[in-house]
Amino acid sequence: MSYVLEAIDTRDGVFCAELLSFKHPHVANPRLQLPSPEEKCQQVLEPPYDEMVAAHLRCTYAAANHDFVEAYKCQTVVVQYPLLQFLKAFQAHKEENWALHMMYAVALDLRIFANNAEQQLSKKGKGKVGDMLEKAAEQLMSCFRICASDNRAGIDDSKKWGMLFLINQLFKIYFKINKLHLCKPLIRAIDSSNLKDDYTIAQRVTYKYYVGRKAMFDSDFKQAEEYLSFAFQHCHRSCQKNKRMILIYLLPVKMLLGHMPTNQLLRKYDLLQFVDVTKAVSEGNLLLLNEALAKHETFFIRCGIFLILEKLKIITYRNLFKKVYQLLKTHQLPLDAFLVALMFMQVDDVDIDEVQCILANLIYMGHIKGYISHQHQKLVVSKQNPFPPLSTVS
C-alpha cells in the first residue's frame, strides 16, 4: 500500500498500473488476498484511493477463490477510480494523462473478469448470456467518452491516447456478444482522429484485425484484405499464434479475390484445413470443395468463416466453366457442356435452368464477360478476356 501511495504522489502511472494489474505477481501473495481490507487501506491511503485499493485486494481474494462474479464486481469499483481521476483533472483544468496506464491495466482485467464471470454463471445455468460483458462494455464506454472528449490538453498530455486501447477492448466484447453494429461509431472516431497513425503498432494491429474482420462480414472484401494484411504484416514475428489467428480470416478474403495461399504457408501456420479448399477452388473442383467444407465444418464454423467459405463456390464455378471454355476453344459455348461438367462434379438435381441461373450470376458479378443466348441455348463470351482475373472484379 505504501508503494501505491508513492506511485500516486509521484504521478507514476506505469508503476501504479503494475500494482493494480493481475499480470503482476503480487496478486498471488496470500497475505494480500483479503476479504475485508478496508480498515488497513484507510490507515495508509486517502479517499478515494483507499476504496480503489481495497476493491483491488477484495478482487484478488475473490479470484484466488475462483469466485469470478465477485471478482468482476470488485473490479468495477477499481475501474471507477481512473474515471474519477480524469474527471477531477478536467474540473481542475489540469492537463495530465498519467492515469492512462492505470486505466489500461484495470480495463483489461475488467473485460477478462466479465468473461470469466459469464462462463461461471453459464455453467450454473444462471444469468443472461452476454449480460456481464455488456455491463463491462458500458463502463469501458464511460472511460472512452472521457478520453475522446479531451480537447484542452496538449498532444503529449492528451487523454485521446487512451482511445484506441479502449476501442480494442470494446471490439473484443462486441465480437464476443455478436453486436458488431456497435463498432461503427468507434471506427468513425478513429477514422476522424489525427492520432490514428501514431498509436503503438500493437494497438494498431489489433484494431486493423477487428475492423478487417468486420469488413469481411460486411462483404467488403477489398477493405478486409487491406486491414487484415496490415495486421498480418505488422504483427510481431514471435507472435505465431496471433499471426495464425489473422490468417484464418485473411485466407478466405484473399481466395475470394483470387489469391491462393501456398501449401508452405498453410503448413507453417498449421492451417492444413485450407489445403483441399485451396486446391478445389483453383482447379474448379466442386466435388473436392464440398468434401473439404464437410470434413472441416466444425473448425470453420467455430472460427465463424464457414458461410464466407461457402461464397468460394461461385469462384469454383467460374474456374470450372473456364476449363469448359478452354476445352471447347470457341466463343459460343453450348449450355449442355456446362450441365455435363456440373454432373461430372456430382452436383445434385442440376438441370439446364440451374445452369442458366449460375451463369447469369457469374455474368452479373463480372466473373464472365458475355451473355446467354436463350434462343440458341448457348453462352456467348467476349473474344477478349472472357474470364477477367478475380482481383480486377469489384
Side-chain angles (χ1 to χ4, degrees), residues 146-386:
I146 287 173
C147 291
S149 61
D150 184 9
N151 295 317
R152 287 180 294 188
I155 198 69
D156 291 338
D157 299 317
S158 176
K159 294 166 189 70
K160 287 188 175 181
W161 289 109
M163 285 169 60
L164 196 58
F165 175 87
L166 289 166
I167 284 175
N168 288 338
Q169 296 305 312
L170 286 163
F171 279 171
K172 287 176 185 182
I173 291 175
Y174 294 152
F175 271 77
K176 185 93 175 170
I177 62 176
N178 200 23
K179 292 199 171 179
L180 301 194
H181 63 283
L182 295 174
C183 298
K184 275 187 181 177
L186 301 176
I187 294 169
R188 280 200 300 270
I190 290 300
D191 284 347
S192 61
S193 169
N194 54 357
L195 297 178
K196 64 183 173 188
D197 297 324
D198 298 317
Y199 289 104
T200 65
I201 195 66
Q203 288 183 6
R204 286 164 65 205
V205 163
T206 304
Y207 175 77
K208 297 272 187 181
Y209 165 71
Y210 281 106
V211 179
R213 277 181 66 186
K214 186 181 182 302
M216 181 187 80
F217 292 130
D218 292 340
S219 297
D220 186 349
F221 299 120
K222 289 198 171 167
Q223 191 191 43
E225 182 191 28
E226 181 194 334
Y227 277 59
L228 290 167
S229 294
F230 178 97
F232 183 73
Q233 287 158 14
H234 292 87
C235 182
H236 200 276
R237 66 179 70 177
S238 66
C239 301
Q240 288 285 99
K241 187 181 169 188
N242 287 352
K243 286 180 90 78
R244 180 180 186 270
M245 205 158 62
I246 297 165
L247 271 182
I248 285 170
Y249 302 99
L250 180 57
L251 290 175
V253 168
K254 285 270 194 191
M255 288 161 80
L256 282 164
L257 295 172
H259 310 295
M260 299 299 153
T262 63
N263 285 351
Q264 183 187 358
L265 179 78
L266 297 177
R267 277 195 299 273
K268 181 179 177 182
Y269 290 99
D270 189 25
L271 287 170
L272 299 177
Q273 296 91 337
F274 287 94
V275 170
D276 284 345
V277 174
T278 305
K279 187 171 187 283
V281 175
S282 300
E283 295 175 357
N285 190 335
L286 273 166
L287 183 60
L288 180 60
L289 179 63
N290 288 330
E291 285 172 358
L293 290 177
K295 184 180 177 183
H296 301 294
E297 184 179 14
T298 308
F299 172 77
F300 294 142
I301 288 173
R302 193 173 69 242
C303 295
I305 55 170
F306 185 78
L307 293 177
I308 301 292
L309 291 172
E310 282 268 302
K311 293 188 179 192
L312 288 171
K313 282 186 180 175
I314 199 75
I315 309 297
T316 313
Y317 282 128
R318 177 246 185 220
N319 291 344
L320 174 65
F321 291 172
K322 186 179 180 183
K323 283 188 172 182
V324 173
Y325 162 74
Q326 288 169 336
L327 279 169
L328 296 179
K329 295 177 181 172
T330 174
H331 298 288
Q332 296 184 13
L333 303 155
L335 298 183
D336 282 342
F338 299 112
L339 181 61
V340 170
L342 290 172
M343 289 169 77
F344 181 71
M345 288 295 164
Q346 297 179 23
V347 176
D348 295 332
D349 304 325
V350 67
D351 57 20
I352 209 74
D353 289 338
E354 193 164 343
V355 169
Q356 290 189 38
C357 184
I358 294 166
L359 286 168
N361 269 328
L362 286 166
I363 292 166
Y364 173 74
M365 294 170 79
H367 293 310
I368 294 176
K369 281 158 70 174
Y371 63 92
I372 298 168
S373 170
H374 296 287
Q375 186 182 354
H376 299 99
Q377 289 289 286
K378 286 186 177 180
L379 171 72
V380 182
V381 295
S382 167
K383 290 184 179 179
Q384 285 188 328
N385 206 10

Side-chain angles (χ1 to χ4, degrees), residues 105-119:
V106 299
L108 174 66
D109 289 335
L110 179 75
R111 180 182 62 78
I112 292 167
F113 281 130
N115 197 38
N116 292 344
E118 191 111 311
Q119 288 173 5

